[in-house]
Amino acid sequence: MQQLAIFGGTFDPIHWGHLLIAETALHQLPLDQIIWVPSLNPPHKQAAPFEHRVKMLQLVTQENPAFTVSLVETSRTGTSYAINTFIDLSAIYSNALWYWIVGLDTFQTLPRWYRGHELAQMCDWLIAPRQLDIDIVQSDIVCQQVEQQLRQMSSTIRWQFLDIPLVGVSSSHIRKLCCESKSIKSLVPEPVRFYITTHNLYSEKSE
């Protein structure tokens, strides 16, 4: 049985923090593959065109054989819901033990996801703390609260923290710097920086 992890998100753009989380998951658990799933139509946010986000993902993951970029969301129309992504991937990768990689802030919203109480028990959750989540005790309390909420919805859940250094970089901060014509050189891999510059992404001249 393969052990597979889904790493979904807008990746708008992908940055060093995302890659650190994925590499940590590979080392912390016996994963065979991490499947990066860029959201086609995120339900709660506007994002750069899908083809740009996919290309940046491919540029920085192609050299790692344990990384796969999935375009599974292009097979559907309408809003991108996580449970639909999981069902589609489960049909492609049969006989697999599934994990889902999320940030703590995203995990905290799981009880409000579309059919979140169903998805909660379909995989193990790998939670990445963020820089603002410095108090690990408080982070643990947050996760326990989420677990309690899901149990009230008749759902069981398995989760654990990823043991990663706290990284303050975020996609929103990178977009802001780009809009202000400031350097993002230390925040994203060079192929991503070059792609953003070449296509004028996140600036007033964005395509």
Side-chain angles (χ1 to χ4, degrees):
M1 179 179 291
Q2 283 188 301
Q3 299 200 55
L4 307 175
I6 298 170
F7 195 178
T10 51
F11 302 114
D12 191 28
I14 184 174
H15 54 67
W16 284 120
H18 293 131
L19 291 165
L20 176 60
I21 290 169
E23 292 285 356
T24 299
L26 284 176
H27 287 94
Q28 188 169 322
L29 294 107
L31 298 175
D32 296 296
Q33 198 84 201
I34 290 181
I35 304 171
W36 300 72
V37 185
S39 299
L40 178 61
N41 295 304
H44 304 301
K45 61 181 73 173
Q46 294 291 322
F50 183 71
E51 61 269 22
H52 288 313
R53 293 183 284 119
V54 168
K55 184 59 179 179
M56 289 187 283
L57 264 176
Q58 292 172 335
L59 284 171
V60 297
T61 60
Q62 60 188 357
E63 294 184 2
N64 190 327
F67 290 164
T68 298
V69 176
S70 173
L71 304 183
V72 65
E73 297 213 353
T74 61
S75 63
R76 297 191 307 272
T77 58
T79 303
S80 299
Y81 289 114
I83 191 164
N84 294 331
T85 296
F86 181 84
I87 291 171
D88 289 347
L89 286 174
S90 296
I92 297 170
Y93 300 92
S94 58
N95 194 32
L97 176 61
W98 289 96
Y99 297 83
W100 199 299
I101 301 171
V102 292
L104 176 59
D105 54 341
T106 302
F107 182 71
Q108 195 169 358
T109 68
L110 180 58
R112 302 194 299 273
W113 290 14
Y114 173 69
R115 295 172 64 186
H117 64 291
E118 297 176 52
L119 180 61
Q121 53 197 323
M122 293 178 175
C123 53
D124 288 29
W125 296 84
L126 306 178
I127 304 167
R130 298 180 63 171
Q131 188 179 39
L132 296 179
D133 309 317
I134 294 175
D135 188 342
I136 196 67
V137 174
Q138 181 62 34
S139 298
D140 190 66
I141 291 172
V142 169
C143 289
Q144 290 177 22
Q145 290 172 342
V146 172
E147 183 176 11
Q148 184 177 16
Q149 287 179 279
L150 290 165
R151 282 179 175 172
Q152 290 173 352
M153 302 164 71
S154 301
S155 295
T156 57
I157 187 168
R158 298 175 302 277
W159 56 270
Q160 62 178 286
F161 284 116
L162 291 173
D163 184 17
I164 61 172
L166 297 173
V167 178
V169 59
S170 69
S171 294
S172 59
H173 181 56
I174 292 169
R175 295 194 301 271
K176 182 175 183 292
L177 291 175
C178 290
C179 189
E180 297 171 351
S181 299
K182 295 181 179 178
S183 175
I184 59 170
K185 190 172 183 179
S186 63
L187 304 177
V188 298
E190 177 56 23
V192 172
R193 187 204 65 78
F194 183 77
Y195 189 92
I196 289 172
T197 301
T198 302
H199 294 272
N200 294 313
L201 296 182
Y202 315 121
S203 72
E204 295 181 357
K205 299 178 181 179
S206 297
E207 296 178 2

